[in-house]
Amino acid sequence: MKALSLSNKNIDSTVRETENFLKENSISRENSLRLTLTMEEILLRYQDRFGEKKEYIPETGKRLGISYITISVPGEAFNPISQDDDDWSTRVLADLGLAPLYSYRKGVNRITVYLKKIISKARKKVFIASASAFVLGQAVILLCEDQASVLRE
């Protein structure tokens, strides 16, 4: 992807592209909103620190079957999601397995979020109920066959 300046227009554009990427990856609307707000906050913190003329590189893609979002900002080390912050959105995203990860290598700040498929509680319940029904159904079939063979004898 191409480098963009940390202007409000570019940040807004990146947030919209992130939102579309999350939609394509079937991330729930609620989690998508949390994640886009967090990414916007991260970009605004970089803007506050480095100014609007500083460039960043937004990137989305898939690696080894896992979708990701990365923001790279060349320059001095600055972690916009430092642990000193009592930011509720970062904690909520961490609980969901969508926490942004910070790294600094070779003069580049990187924020990466890996999108794991989140299975809703309702889906888990349906899956457990279906699996239980299948197992119990198979057990009943086996028991009925055993009882039928006893009766035949």
Side-chain angles (χ1 to χ4, degrees), residues 6-37:
L6 280 167
S7 69
N8 290 336
K9 179 182 172 186
N10 287 337
I11 289 173
D12 187 51
S13 173
T14 300
V15 168
R16 277 187 273 117
E17 287 176 22
T18 300
E19 192 172 10
N20 291 335
F21 183 72
L22 294 170
K23 240 182 240 181
E24 291 169 10
N25 282 278
S26 303
I27 300 298
S28 73
R29 185 167 187 240
E30 183 180 274
N31 292 335
S32 176
L33 182 60
R34 286 181 182 138
L35 194 52
T36 54
L37 288 173

Side-chain angles (χ1 to χ4, degrees), residues 39 42-43 46 56-58 69-73 109-111:
M39 297 306 273
I42 287 168
L43 286 167
Y46 276 126
Y56 71 100
I57 302 167
I69 300 167
T70 299
I71 296 172
S72 302
V73 182
N109 295 282
R110 277 193 186 78
I111 300 288

Side-chain angles (χ1 to χ4, degrees), residues 80-91:
I81 54 171
S82 67
Q83 298 303 322
D84 309 352
D85 249 346
D86 191 25
D87 186 8
W88 68 270
S89 61
T90 305
R91 282 183 279 137

Side-chain angles (χ1 to χ4, degrees), residues 4-151:
L4 305 170
S5 65
L6 280 167
S7 69
N8 290 336
K9 179 182 172 186
N10 287 337
I11 289 173
D12 187 51
S13 173
T14 300
V15 168
R16 277 187 273 117
E17 287 176 22
T18 300
E19 192 172 10
N20 291 335
F21 183 72
L22 294 170
K23 240 182 240 181
E24 291 169 10
N25 282 278
S26 303
I27 300 298
S28 73
R29 185 167 187 240
E30 183 180 274
N31 292 335
S32 176
L33 182 60
R34 286 181 182 138
L35 194 52
T36 54
L37 288 173
T38 300
M39 297 306 273
E40 181 177 27
E41 181 65 28
I42 287 168
L43 286 167
L44 289 172
R45 288 180 185 179
Y46 276 126
Q47 183 188 58
D48 287 345
R49 176 71 177 237
F50 298 120
E52 287 190 23
K53 292 184 180 183
K54 186 70 170 175
E55 291 189 334
Y56 71 100
I57 302 167
E59 181 185 351
T60 57
K62 207 170 214 177
R63 193 176 302 137
L64 299 173
I66 297 175
S67 299
Y68 66 90
I69 300 167
T70 299
I71 296 172
S72 302
V73 182
E76 66 183 67
F78 173 65
N79 182 357
I81 54 171
S82 67
Q83 298 303 322
D84 309 352
D85 249 346
D86 191 25
D87 186 8
W88 68 270
S89 61
T90 305
R91 282 183 279 137
V92 169
L93 290 171
D95 291 344
L96 296 171
L98 295 172
L101 303 171
Y102 171 79
S103 67
Y104 182 77
R105 276 188 234 127
K106 298 181 181 179
V108 178
N109 295 282
R110 277 193 186 78
I111 300 288
T112 304
V113 177
Y114 294 100
L115 307 178
K116 299 174 184 168
K117 294 288 183 190
I118 299 173
I119 300 173
S120 69
K121 290 181 182 179
R123 284 187 182 170
K124 283 182 185 177
K125 289 178 183 177
V126 169
F127 175 76
I128 291 169
S130 299
S132 298
F134 177 77
V135 170
L136 290 174
Q138 293 299 315
V140 167
I141 290 171
L142 289 174
L143 289 174
C144 289
E145 287 178 4
D146 287 345
Q147 289 178 353
S149 63
V150 169
L151 290 175

